[in-house]
Amino acid sequence: MAKLTKLPRAIMFDLDGTIAHTIPQLSKAAIAAADECGLVHPSEEKVKEFVGNGINMLLARVIKGEFEVEIEEVSPLLLKKLRESFNTHYQKGLSSDFEVYDGVKECLIFCRECGIKTAIVTNKPEVFAKPLISFMGLSAYFDFILGGEVLKERKPDPRPINYTLEKLQVKNTEALMCGDSDNDIIAANNAFVSSVFFTFGYNRSDEKTLKYDYRFDSYSEFTSLLKELKNIK
């Protein structure tokens, strides 16, 4: 983990809260599933608090109505029923209720022009992540997409990052991980990969505790950094 002295060979991005604002579509699916299962449904603000550790954890939090919960604390049958309902509603809603952040496409185009490999490393299941990226019109700009249920481990475990770098055939010292939450930054640190923290996403922890290498309020700032690195001889 260190400041870069040249362009990275690979840049990995989180999805929700990093590439796009997706809480509205997640919220709609969670609320519809909760209603269908006779549960008190969460507000959109609550869903924002609950995301980040995979769909099952999100739904376990919906069942309990609070953030601090273990999967083992909820009924497996109820969780299964809620997950099936969520999957149906969310799959139907993937094409709408999201907003790609300003500057994302321009950043990805610049990466393509510079020969930088790009990937998505998300805790969102791949069955949702891949079509969502397609609906966003960004599939052509990513060399690899890793969803949250491909591996046993999820961020903040470093394995998803290491696995992605293996697929891209890039060393951790030549890579960068971009995210909006503690899960992303901790995973990057654990994988010994330089990190970018975006302030506009869904981070729940105290930012002061995050040990990132770069902090940006917009993609234009991030792309400016990449352009500066390109000009270093």
PDB file of all heavy atoms in Angstrom, residues 210-222:
ATOM      1  N   LEU A 210     -10.150   4.872   8.434  1.00  0.00           N
ATOM      2  CA  LEU A 210      -9.800   4.210   7.180  1.00  0.00           C
ATOM      3  C   LEU A 210      -8.388   4.586   6.734  1.00  0.00           C
ATOM      4  O   LEU A 210      -8.042   5.760   6.662  1.00  0.00           O
ATOM      5  CB  LEU A 210     -10.797   4.587   6.082  1.00  0.00           C
ATOM      6  CG  LEU A 210     -12.255   4.203   6.340  1.00  0.00           C
ATOM      7  CD1 LEU A 210     -13.117   4.619   5.150  1.00  0.00           C
ATOM      8  CD2 LEU A 210     -12.389   2.713   6.594  1.00  0.00           C
ATOM      9  N   LYS A 211      -7.596   3.594   6.406  1.00  0.00           N
ATOM     10  CA  LYS A 211      -6.206   3.816   5.995  1.00  0.00           C
ATOM     11  C   LYS A 211      -6.092   3.689   4.479  1.00  0.00           C
ATOM     12  O   LYS A 211      -5.587   2.694   3.956  1.00  0.00           O
ATOM     13  CB  LYS A 211      -5.292   2.825   6.711  1.00  0.00           C
ATOM     14  CG  LYS A 211      -5.309   2.990   8.219  1.00  0.00           C
ATOM     15  CD  LYS A 211      -4.428   1.959   8.908  1.00  0.00           C
ATOM     16  CE  LYS A 211      -4.478   2.133  10.418  1.00  0.00           C
ATOM     17  NZ  LYS A 211      -3.640   1.114  11.126  1.00  0.00           N
ATOM     18  N   TYR A 212      -6.574   4.708   3.784  1.00  0.00           N
ATOM     19  CA  TYR A 212      -6.530   4.707   2.323  1.00  0.00           C
ATOM     20  C   TYR A 212      -5.325   5.515   1.838  1.00  0.00           C
ATOM     21  O   TYR A 212      -4.733   6.291   2.590  1.00  0.00           O
ATOM     22  CB  TYR A 212      -7.823   5.283   1.746  1.00  0.00           C
ATOM     23  CG  TYR A 212      -8.280   6.563   2.400  1.00  0.00           C
ATOM     24  CD1 TYR A 212      -7.640   7.770   2.147  1.00  0.00           C
ATOM     25  CD2 TYR A 212      -9.357   6.564   3.299  1.00  0.00           C
ATOM     26  CE1 TYR A 212      -8.051   8.938   2.751  1.00  0.00           C
ATOM     27  CE2 TYR A 212      -9.772   7.734   3.914  1.00  0.00           C
ATOM     28  CZ  TYR A 212      -9.120   8.915   3.633  1.00  0.00           C
ATOM     29  OH  TYR A 212      -9.529  10.077   4.249  1.00  0.00           O
ATOM     30  N   ASP A 213      -4.995   5.321   0.554  1.00  0.00           N
ATOM     31  CA  ASP A 213      -3.883   6.065  -0.036  1.00  0.00           C
ATOM     32  C   ASP A 213      -4.335   7.360  -0.700  1.00  0.00           C
ATOM     33  O   ASP A 213      -3.592   8.332  -0.748  1.00  0.00           O
ATOM     34  CB  ASP A 213      -3.157   5.186  -1.059  1.00  0.00           C
ATOM     35  CG  ASP A 213      -2.500   3.988  -0.392  1.00  0.00           C
ATOM     36  OD1 ASP A 213      -1.558   4.189   0.381  1.00  0.00           O
ATOM     37  OD2 ASP A 213      -2.952   2.846  -0.633  1.00  0.00           O
ATOM     38  N   TYR A 214      -5.564   7.337  -1.246  1.00  0.00           N
ATOM     39  CA  TYR A 214      -6.118   8.515  -1.912  1.00  0.00           C
ATOM     40  C   TYR A 214      -7.572   8.688  -1.496  1.00  0.00           C
ATOM     41  O   TYR A 214      -8.277   7.717  -1.236  1.00  0.00           O
ATOM     42  CB  TYR A 214      -6.054   8.378  -3.443  1.00  0.00           C
ATOM     43  CG  TYR A 214      -4.665   8.224  -4.008  1.00  0.00           C
ATOM     44  CD1 TYR A 214      -4.139   6.957  -4.251  1.00  0.00           C
ATOM     45  CD2 TYR A 214      -3.890   9.336  -4.311  1.00  0.00           C
ATOM     46  CE1 TYR A 214      -2.865   6.802  -4.777  1.00  0.00           C
ATOM     47  CE2 TYR A 214      -2.613   9.198  -4.838  1.00  0.00           C
ATOM     48  CZ  TYR A 214      -2.106   7.927  -5.067  1.00  0.00           C
ATOM     49  OH  TYR A 214      -0.844   7.791  -5.590  1.00  0.00           O
ATOM     50  N   ARG A 215      -7.998   9.937  -1.496  1.00  0.00           N
ATOM     51  CA  ARG A 215      -9.390  10.272  -1.155  1.00  0.00           C
ATOM     52  C   ARG A 215      -9.901  11.283  -2.177  1.00  0.00           C
ATOM     53  O   ARG A 215      -9.280  12.326  -2.388  1.00  0.00           O
ATOM     54  CB  ARG A 215      -9.457  10.884   0.247  1.00  0.00           C
ATOM     55  CG  ARG A 215     -10.832  11.353   0.692  1.00  0.00           C
ATOM     56  CD  ARG A 215     -10.694  12.096   2.025  1.00  0.00           C
ATOM     57  NE  ARG A 215     -11.968  12.469   2.599  1.00  0.00           N
ATOM     58  CZ  ARG A 215     -12.667  13.555   2.267  1.00  0.00           C
ATOM     59  NH1 ARG A 215     -12.173  14.389   1.341  1.00  0.00           N
ATOM     60  NH2 ARG A 215     -13.815  13.831   2.841  1.00  0.00           N
ATOM     61  N   PHE A 216     -11.046  10.975  -2.807  1.00  0.00           N
ATOM     62  CA  PHE A 216     -11.586  11.869  -3.823  1.00  0.00           C
ATOM     63  C   PHE A 216     -13.091  12.078  -3.626  1.00  0.00           C
ATOM     64  O   PHE A 216     -13.810  11.175  -3.192  1.00  0.00           O
ATOM     65  CB  PHE A 216     -11.347  11.305  -5.231  1.00  0.00           C
ATOM     66  CG  PHE A 216      -9.900  11.186  -5.599  1.00  0.00           C
ATOM     67  CD1 PHE A 216      -9.332   9.943  -5.835  1.00  0.00           C
ATOM     68  CD2 PHE A 216      -9.098  12.314  -5.697  1.00  0.00           C
ATOM     69  CE1 PHE A 216      -7.991   9.824  -6.165  1.00  0.00           C
ATOM     70  CE2 PHE A 216      -7.749  12.208  -6.028  1.00  0.00           C
ATOM     71  CZ  PHE A 216      -7.195  10.957  -6.260  1.00  0.00           C
ATOM     72  N   ASP A 217     -13.528  13.273  -3.990  1.00  0.00           N
ATOM     73  CA  ASP A 217     -14.946  13.617  -3.920  1.00  0.00           C
ATOM     74  C   ASP A 217     -15.645  13.429  -5.259  1.00  0.00           C
ATOM     75  O   ASP A 217     -16.856  13.579  -5.350  1.00  0.00           O
ATOM     76  CB  ASP A 217     -15.123  15.076  -3.470  1.00  0.00           C
ATOM     77  CG  ASP A 217     -14.581  15.324  -2.074  1.00  0.00           C
ATOM     78  OD1 ASP A 217     -14.738  14.432  -1.218  1.00  0.00           O
ATOM     79  OD2 ASP A 217     -14.002  16.402  -1.841  1.00  0.00           O
ATOM     80  N   SER A 218     -14.871  13.125  -6.304  1.00  0.00           N
ATOM     81  CA  SER A 218     -15.467  12.969  -7.636  1.00  0.00           C
ATOM     82  C   SER A 218     -14.554  12.131  -8.525  1.00  0.00           C
ATOM     83  O   SER A 218     -13.350  11.991  -8.254  1.00  0.00           O
ATOM     84  CB  SER A 218     -15.670  14.336  -8.294  1.00  0.00           C
ATOM     85  OG  SER A 218     -14.411  14.927  -8.613  1.00  0.00           O
ATOM     86  N   TYR A 219     -15.131  11.610  -9.596  1.00  0.00           N
ATOM     87  CA  TYR A 219     -14.336  10.843 -10.562  1.00  0.00           C
ATOM     88  C   TYR A 219     -13.406  11.746 -11.368  1.00  0.00           C
ATOM     89  O   TYR A 219     -12.344  11.299 -11.807  1.00  0.00           O
ATOM     90  CB  TYR A 219     -15.252  10.056 -11.504  1.00  0.00           C
ATOM     91  CG  TYR A 219     -15.469   8.643 -11.027  1.00  0.00           C
ATOM     92  CD1 TYR A 219     -16.522   8.348 -10.164  1.00  0.00           C
ATOM     93  CD2 TYR A 219     -14.623   7.607 -11.412  1.00  0.00           C
ATOM     94  CE1 TYR A 219     -16.725   7.049  -9.698  1.00  0.00           C
ATOM     95  CE2 TYR A 219     -14.807   6.315 -10.956  1.00  0.00           C
ATOM     96  CZ  TYR A 219     -15.861   6.038 -10.095  1.00  0.00           C
ATOM     97  OH  TYR A 219     -16.050   4.762  -9.630  1.00  0.00           O
ATOM     98  N   SER A 220     -13.801  12.980 -11.565  1.00  0.00           N
ATOM     99  CA  SER A 220     -12.935  13.884 -12.320  1.00  0.00           C
ATOM    100  C   SER A 220     -11.600  14.076 -11.589  1.00  0.00           C
ATOM    101  O   SER A 220     -10.538  14.166 -12.226  1.00  0.00           O
ATOM    102  CB  SER A 220     -13.623  15.235 -12.544  1.00  0.00           C
ATOM    103  OG  SER A 220     -13.913  15.869 -11.313  1.00  0.00           O
ATOM    104  N   GLU A 221     -11.635  14.112 -10.259  1.00  0.00           N
ATOM    105  CA  GLU A 221     -10.405  14.229  -9.481  1.00  0.00           C
ATOM    106  C   GLU A 221      -9.546  12.981  -9.641  1.00  0.00           C
ATOM    107  O   GLU A 221      -8.317  13.065  -9.774  1.00  0.00           O
ATOM    108  CB  GLU A 221     -10.742  14.440  -8.001  1.00  0.00           C
ATOM    109  CG  GLU A 221     -11.413  15.762  -7.693  1.00  0.00           C
ATOM    110  CD  GLU A 221     -11.844  15.877  -6.242  1.00  0.00           C
ATOM    111  OE1 GLU A 221     -11.826  14.859  -5.518  1.00  0.00           O
ATOM    112  OE2 GLU A 221     -12.191  16.985  -5.824  1.00  0.00           O
ATOM    113  N   PHE A 222     -10.202  11.834  -9.638  1.00  0.00           N
ATOM    114  CA  PHE A 222      -9.475  10.575  -9.801  1.00  0.00           C
ATOM    115  C   PHE A 222      -8.834  10.477 -11.184  1.00  0.00           C
ATOM    116  O   PHE A 222      -7.660  10.114 -11.322  1.00  0.00           O
ATOM    117  CB  PHE A 222     -10.425   9.394  -9.563  1.00  0.00           C
ATOM    118  CG  PHE A 222      -9.794   8.039  -9.769  1.00  0.00           C
ATOM    119  CD1 PHE A 222      -8.553   7.743  -9.225  1.00  0.00           C
ATOM    120  CD2 PHE A 222     -10.451   7.063 -10.505  1.00  0.00           C
ATOM    121  CE1 PHE A 222      -7.968   6.486  -9.408  1.00  0.00           C
ATOM    122  CE2 PHE A 222      -9.877   5.803 -10.688  1.00  0.00           C
ATOM    123  CZ  PHE A 222      -8.632   5.523 -10.142  1.00  0.00           C
TER     124      PHE A 222
END
